[in-house]
Amino acid sequence: MQRICVIGGSRYIGKLLVERSRAAGHRVTVINRGSTPQPAGIEHLVVDRNDEAALTAALAGRTFDVVVDQVCYTPVQAAIAARAFAGRTRRYVMTSTIEVYDPATAALPAVPSGTPVPEESVDPTTWQVDMDLPWHDDTYLEAHYAEGKRQAEGVFANAGGFTFATVRSAHVLGGGALEFTGRLAHYAGRVTRGEEITVHAKALPTVFIHYEELAELLLWAAAADFTGPVNACSDGPLDVYDLAGIVVTQAGSDAVYRIVPEGEEASPFSFDRHYAMSNARAKALGFLFSRTTDWLPGAVAEALAVPAAPTA
């Protein structure tokens, strides 16, 4: 049994992680702002993680074996958490993202197209951190999501006080209405309504992971002893045509594609640049991944079963 603290834990992957941690016999504490009640047997600390004094007060007298941070987006948030949990946890696991490898968001080492991107392409121990950027501004943060994650990793990697690992998640799918990004619903809706799917002239593959598999991997990472980044993606990259093709098969409707001019944004998961991750490190550490094509048809079926939102 471990004492696990989950920051976030109110929806989707975080909620499932809490449920599975509890089912595995761990003692679980959830920290969030209290928007969603926690089930019986879960300690719930209602506090804003951005309020360092309140967070430190809420943690008084508590220690954990591991903290799993689901909602850290900036180096400022990371610095607050690093100070608050120093001496209170043995291990800290941050949920990060494939977007840290996006070459459109930072000057990164070139990786040949088609070569899976390894973790060492972004080293958090050497990444430059700038606390003075306007991280409190939601518009700025949305536009600099990848950089916020990179710098947050950098803060934790150099904090000391606990061992640190970061799980860089591929694009997460599955769960039907639970999938709050709406990206799979975008394809389900476009195909069933016969609407255009915008794509790049040369759409490149990316990688995906089912939300249940990511929750399983986070629980595995919580109990492991590796440090540093690890990529989390199912086997088998897919491009936008592969993804839409599975939707077409499930929906029984044809897809309508429109190629966008160079430099224009296209539908989610159509990429004109390469940053599909390698999962070799996680495999070497002992985690077994599914194949994307094994679970994606079921995820698409769930998305198609969700009632469409009413139109104006």
Side-chain angles (χ1 to χ4, degrees):
M1 182 186 73
Q2 288 200 101
R3 294 163 297 173
I4 299 178
C5 176
V6 178
I7 305 178
S10 63
R11 62 177 180 172
Y12 205 34
I13 303 140
K15 182 179 180 181
L16 184 58
L17 173 63
V18 169
E19 293 171 354
R20 292 196 173 184
S21 298
R22 178 64 175 164
H26 301 302
R27 289 172 53 190
V28 183
T29 297
V30 171
I31 294 176
N32 58 35
R33 290 179 292 184
S35 59
T36 304
Q38 294 298 315
I42 304 296
E43 181 184 37
H44 190 190
L45 302 182
V46 179
V47 62
D48 185 347
R49 66 163 306 150
N50 299 306
D51 186 334
E52 184 169 356
L55 179 59
T56 301
L59 292 172
R62 292 176 173 83
T63 59
F64 307 99
D65 294 301
V66 60
V67 175
V68 182
D69 193 341
Q70 285 284 93
V71 288
C72 187
Y73 302 106
T74 75
V76 175
Q77 291 178 322
I80 289 171
R83 290 190 292 266
F85 284 97
R88 289 192 172 96
T89 186
R90 171 187 59 83
R91 180 169 175 77
Y92 203 104
V93 178
M94 173 188 157
T95 303
S96 191
T97 172
I98 186 177
E99 302 305 332
V100 302
Y101 300 116
D102 185 352
T105 64
L108 300 172
V111 178
S113 185
T115 301
V117 181
E119 287 85 354
E120 54 265 29
S121 293
V122 176
D123 181 356
T125 65
T126 61
W127 200 263
Q128 185 174 352
V129 172
D130 188 347
M131 296 288 190
D132 295 327
L133 293 172
W135 297 115
H136 62 282
D137 185 302
D138 289 343
T139 301
Y140 180 87
L141 180 56
E142 182 178 0
H144 296 82
Y145 171 73
E147 183 60 17
K149 284 289 192 179
R150 284 187 289 256
Q151 291 197 25
E153 288 187 23
V155 170
F156 284 126
N158 291 294
F162 42 68
T163 61
F164 172 65
T166 181
V167 173
R168 294 171 176 167
S169 171
H171 306 291
V172 185
L173 298 176
L178 296 176
E179 188 189 313
F180 63 91
T181 66
R183 292 177 176 177
L184 198 50
H186 169 90
Y187 285 92
R190 294 266 167 174
V191 169
T192 55
R193 294 189 298 267
E195 297 174 354
E196 288 182 342
I197 297 171
T198 53
V199 297
H200 294 100
K202 185 180 179 182
L204 298 174
T206 189
V207 285
F208 301 91
I209 191 166
H210 192 272
Y211 83 108
E212 291 182 352
E213 186 166 38
L214 181 54
E216 180 184 350
L217 189 145
L218 287 167
L219 188 55
W220 165 79
D225 59 4
F226 70 87
T227 59
V230 66
N231 293 335
C233 58
S234 301
D235 288 332
L238 303 176
D239 64 26
V240 64
Y241 295 104
D242 298 324
L243 176 64
I246 293 174
V247 178
V248 164
T249 299
Q250 295 282 330
S253 305
D254 290 331
V256 179
Y257 299 104
R258 178 175 66 84
I259 295 175
V260 300
E262 186 175 350
E264 183 178 316
E265 285 295 315
S267 293
F269 309 135
S270 180
F271 292 98
D272 59 357
R273 56 199 183 274
H274 167 68
Y275 57 108
M277 300 186 299
S278 166
N279 61 12
R281 185 180 189 220
K283 286 181 175 179
L285 289 167
F287 191 83
L288 299 177
F289 288 97
S290 66
R291 289 199 63 80
T292 307
T293 49
D294 289 341
W295 55 259
L296 186 53
V300 167
E302 290 174 337
L304 289 166
V306 176
T311 57

